[in-house]
Amino acid sequence: SLCGCAPPKLAGMLGISVEEAKVKLSSFLLELGLDTVQAWLKVCQKKYKRGGGFYIPIAFGYWVFCKSAHAAVNYLIQGTEGAVQKVAVNYFEREVKMRFKNSNVFKVLDMHDEFLVECAPEDADAVGKLMGESYTYAGQQLFKWLNANPDKYSGGNKLLIEPDFNGGYAIGQSYYDCH
């Protein structure tokens, strides 16, 4: 299921039987196109079973360990997002060293899908554009990797659309201003 909502929980939330909840949940997942993802994760659950759980292959050759089948979709999504973030961060840090040799650009933090950087005001716009470029690059790398490794993701076919994770940037004096 999605977001940890298995049929019994959905049944309780909606005041319906567990069987009715199973039908609604299956319909919901089918409408989102997640039925094939769920089927693929069931294959992973059997094929990569270890101890009290199973491994799920994610982008760039990483794996995540999952103990709960109903949380597997979230593990796949969040694990892939973590791998994409890692690619973006590595690109950003490499490019900062090359492009801003004589400037003070300090990464304060990176988490999930964002960076927080401290730099001189005159560098702020260029650093912000580099952040966006980093996420675009990560999407390009994900596209290439998934198309080269179709057996390692639920679609199993070539991707048709290259993702771009560039969500823009904000400049400010505090985390609040930038978030």
Short mmCIF file of all heavy atoms in Angstrom, two decimals, residues 9-16 21 24:
data_model
loop_
_atom_site.label_atom_id
_atom_site.label_comp_id
_atom_site.label_asym_id
_atom_site.label_seq_id
_atom_site.Cartn_x
_atom_site.Cartn_y
_atom_site.Cartn_z
N LYS A 9 -6.39 -0.79 8.08
CA LYS A 9 -6.39 0.61 8.52
C LYS A 9 -7.37 1.43 7.69
O LYS A 9 -8.14 2.24 8.22
CB LYS A 9 -4.98 1.19 8.42
CG LYS A 9 -4.89 2.63 8.90
CD LYS A 9 -3.46 3.14 8.85
CE LYS A 9 -3.36 4.56 9.32
NZ LYS A 9 -1.98 5.06 9.26
N LEU A 10 -7.34 1.24 6.38
CA LEU A 10 -8.26 1.96 5.49
C LEU A 10 -9.70 1.62 5.83
O LEU A 10 -10.57 2.51 5.85
CB LEU A 10 -7.95 1.65 4.02
CG LEU A 10 -8.76 2.40 2.98
CD1 LEU A 10 -8.52 3.91 3.08
CD2 LEU A 10 -8.42 1.90 1.58
N ALA A 11 -9.97 0.35 6.11
CA ALA A 11 -11.33 -0.07 6.47
C ALA A 11 -11.80 0.68 7.72
O ALA A 11 -12.94 1.17 7.76
CB ALA A 11 -11.36 -1.58 6.71
N GLY A 12 -10.94 0.76 8.72
CA GLY A 12 -11.30 1.47 9.94
C GLY A 12 -11.52 2.95 9.71
O GLY A 12 -12.43 3.55 10.28
N MET A 13 -10.69 3.55 8.86
CA MET A 13 -10.81 4.98 8.57
C MET A 13 -12.10 5.30 7.82
O MET A 13 -12.73 6.33 8.07
CB MET A 13 -9.61 5.45 7.74
CG MET A 13 -8.30 5.46 8.52
SD MET A 13 -6.81 5.64 7.50
CE MET A 13 -7.17 7.01 6.44
N LEU A 14 -12.49 4.40 6.92
CA LEU A 14 -13.68 4.65 6.09
C LEU A 14 -14.95 4.00 6.63
O LEU A 14 -16.03 4.23 6.10
CB LEU A 14 -13.42 4.16 4.66
CG LEU A 14 -12.28 4.84 3.91
CD1 LEU A 14 -12.12 4.21 2.53
CD2 LEU A 14 -12.53 6.33 3.78
N GLY A 15 -14.82 3.16 7.66
CA GLY A 15 -15.99 2.47 8.20
C GLY A 15 -16.55 1.44 7.24
O GLY A 15 -17.77 1.30 7.12
N ILE A 16 -15.68 0.72 6.54
CA ILE A 16 -16.10 -0.30 5.59
C ILE A 16 -15.40 -1.62 5.95
O ILE A 16 -14.52 -1.65 6.82
CB ILE A 16 -15.75 0.10 4.13
CG1 ILE A 16 -14.24 0.33 3.96
CG2 ILE A 16 -16.53 1.36 3.73
CD1 ILE A 16 -13.80 0.64 2.53
N ALA A 21 -12.14 -2.42 1.52
CA ALA A 21 -10.93 -1.59 1.57
C ALA A 21 -9.88 -2.13 0.61
O ALA A 21 -9.17 -1.36 -0.05
CB ALA A 21 -10.39 -1.54 2.99
N LYS A 24 -10.86 -0.95 -2.84
CA LYS A 24 -10.60 0.48 -3.00
C LYS A 24 -9.10 0.76 -3.12
O LYS A 24 -8.68 1.56 -3.95
CB LYS A 24 -11.19 1.27 -1.83
CG LYS A 24 -12.69 1.38 -1.85
CD LYS A 24 -13.18 2.35 -0.82
CE LYS A 24 -14.68 2.49 -0.85
NZ LYS A 24 -15.22 2.97 -2.11
#
